[in-house]
Amino acid sequence: MDRMNLKIGVIKGDGIGPEIVTEAMKVLDKAAEKYGHTVEYTKLLMGGASIDVHGIPLTDETVAAAKACDAVLMGSIGGDAKTSPWYKLEPSKRPEAGLLRIRKELNLFANLRPAVLYDELKGACPLKEEITEGGFDMMIMRELTGGLYFGERKTVEENGVMTAYDSLTYNENEIRRIAKRGFDIAAKRRKKVTSVDKANVLDSSRLWRKVVEEVAGEYPGVTLEHMLVDNCAMQLVKDPKQFDVILTENMFGDILSDEASMVTGSIGMLASASLNETKFGLYEPSGGSAPDIAGKGIANPIATILSAAMMLRFSFDLDREADAIETAVAKVLKEGYRTIDIMSEGKRQVGTEEMGGLIAKNI
Ligand code: IPM
Ligand code: MG
């Protein structure tokens, strides 16, 4: 493999973001050094950190700077909605608006959220042992630039009654491109797609189902099943092993991925990649900014470190380097090191920095 120069944009973000991203950079640097690559970081401000400096959660300059990178690594954005001054701003100027805008601007329509139960972390899983026996390994494919998140919304007074509208819109092209990604990924895994919708109620889901079925016709080696979202929520805790790729729209994917993360033991373990039609991607942990534990040095950096591994794999085709990071994570867990969120009896509790350092050392 040729030596590469990796141009990586870094959005440390808010809350625990700076702490966990610092550890992921440490691990990336180590992997790059070991395999002879160089890394060039471009610091990008987004979310609350950008509001504090620019008054808005994402500037045009930052969007342009992100586009000029090969990939972006991100921590988390947002603060405590009750106490943070960011939430006194109108909704379109709050931290989350920056995240939604960058997803849209960079056309990051495919959000991959792998939920894997590590053997070593079975103790942190809230499900009964008979359910988790043999582990599970699923990939949630969440559509990320359509649906309720980006449909028209407004709050108006109608006949003296305050009324709010959010619209859930999908066109067939938006559904087709995410469905294709889902099938492509399933073809390289256990060859099963569970498409999740609410086709018993929603028109958008009926179109979703129709287009997904058309796409399935192009992938004879992959099995397709449909599942209603309420049933899926139940199946995730009843029998998570049944899932390989879960393909779903934006809002359902948001909700189901939090649920899936919890059955793996902790949201602090869940990586994610948001991809467009090119090699570019935005990589971030699935969890939030956790303002309640920010600055305490106890946050779990593993989701961010695993997101960095996904970046090496998807944006740079550096599979060997990505494997090295994933193997190092598994080794450190096997050796018994745990951050507080995944701590169980007889294990050794470590902080954010120590966890990052241990993983880097094992590369
Ligand atoms: C996520 C988050 C975001 C989302 C929030 C912060 C807007 O929950 O990435 O899952 O809803 O997409
Ligand atoms: Mg979410």
Side-chain angles (χ1 to χ4, degrees):
M1 173 60 73
D2 293 340
R3 287 168 182 241
M4 289 176 77
N5 180 39
L6 318 180
K7 273 194 77 185
I8 300 174
V10 178
I11 301 171
K12 288 197 170 180
D14 310 317
I16 59 171
E19 297 163 64
I20 55 183
V21 171
T22 301
E23 297 316 306
M25 290 165 77
K26 201 190 268 178
V27 173
L28 263 175
D29 287 341
K30 184 69 192 291
E33 186 199 313
K34 172 153 181 195
Y35 294 99
H37 309 296
T38 49
V39 192
E40 196 184 315
Y41 295 110
T42 306
K43 194 176 156 197
L44 305 170
L45 285 183
M46 196 171 89
S50 171
I51 296 174
D52 289 345
V53 177
H54 303 293
I56 51 172
L58 180 68
T59 64
D60 293 343
E61 290 73 27
T62 303
V63 172
K67 280 184 182 165
C69 296
D70 301 321
V72 172
L73 180 67
M74 186 187 128
S76 50
I77 53 106
D80 184 336
K82 277 209 186 94
T83 56
S84 161
W86 301 329
Y87 294 89
K88 297 209 165 55
L89 300 167
E90 59 170 280
S92 67
K93 295 214 166 73
R94 291 178 195 165
E96 286 75 6
L99 178 59
L100 298 187
R101 181 166 166 229
I102 204 165
R103 286 174 178 169
K104 194 74 174 176
E105 290 270 359
L106 301 175
N107 197 24
L108 305 171
F109 65 88
N111 183 215
L112 281 62
R113 297 187 164 182
V116 181
L117 182 66
Y118 282 77
D119 226 29
E120 289 80 20
L121 291 187
K122 278 195 181 137
C125 174
L127 301 179
K128 285 195 196 123
E129 236 180 277
E130 64 223 53
I131 295 176
T132 56
E133 192 57 47
F136 53 79
D137 174 356
M138 67 185 100
M139 177 69 87
I140 299 192
M141 289 286 302
R142 169 188 177 193
E143 200 292 326
L144 204 59
T145 52
L148 275 172
Y149 278 67
F150 295 96
E152 250 178 75
R153 72 177 100 258
K154 62 179 178 184
T155 305
V156 288
E157 204 177 301
E158 284 175 355
N159 305 320
V161 182
M162 287 306 287
T163 308
Y165 293 83
D166 293 285
S167 36
L168 203 180
T169 312
Y170 271 107
N171 70 40
E172 57 178 311
N173 299 329
E174 291 171 312
I175 301 169
R176 196 166 291 116
R177 65 181 181 179
I178 183 76
K180 281 192 169 160
R181 274 294 167 88
F183 279 87
D184 282 339
I185 285 174
K188 292 189 197 144
R189 295 173 44 104
R190 301 195 309 281
K191 302 186 172 34
K192 180 178 168 190
V193 170
T194 305
S195 174
V196 175
D197 62 37
K198 189 69 186 171
N200 53 347
V201 179
L202 304 175
D203 259 17
S204 55
S205 284
R206 287 186 273 265
L207 180 63
W208 180 278
R209 219 174 246 224
K210 181 170 169 276
V211 175
V212 169
E213 262 166 26
E214 281 165 22
V215 172
E218 299 163 27
Y219 294 83
V222 178
T223 313
L224 167 68
E225 70 174 15
H226 300 286
M227 192 178 276
L228 296 173
V229 62
D230 46 351
N231 184 28
C232 183
M234 185 173 81
Q235 295 297 332
L236 273 172
V237 289
K238 196 174 160 215
D239 179 20
K241 272 197 279 293
Q242 68 182 291
F243 296 110
D244 179 15
V245 172
I246 291 181
L247 171 67
T248 193
E249 64 92 48
N250 205 344
M251 178 70 125
F252 298 158
D254 178 44
I255 298 168
L256 294 175
S257 60
D258 266 31
E259 188 188 357
S261 76
M262 199 55 231
V263 303
T264 68
S266 169
I267 197 159
M269 295 296 299
L270 239 75
S272 98
S274 305
L275 309 173
N276 59 23
E277 308 274 13
T278 72
K279 281 276 168 198
F280 183 91
L282 172 76
Y283 300 83
E284 55 173 311
S286 293
S289 58
D292 51 323
I293 59 162
K296 294 191 178 154
I298 59 170
N300 186 348
I302 294 180
T304 320
I305 290 167
L306 292 174
S307 301
M310 286 184 94
M311 167 190 288
L312 295 176
R313 204 182 291 289
F314 289 108
S315 285
F316 298 105
D317 289 318
L318 295 174
D319 287 310
R320 187 185 50 175
E321 290 76 351
D323 287 344
I325 293 179
E326 288 165 3
T327 307
V329 168
K331 183 147 180 272
V332 169
L333 290 174
K334 205 171 172 98
E335 284 168 356
Y337 296 101
R338 301 283 188 272
T339 43
I340 190 166
D341 55 310
I342 49 174
M343 184 60 192
S344 58
E345 225 188 289
K347 304 298 176 193
R348 251 186 74 186
Q349 194 172 316
V350 295
T352 312
E353 227 184 295
E354 197 179 345
M355 182 56 97
L358 283 162
I359 295 168
K361 207 178 81 192
N362 276 286
I363 287 177

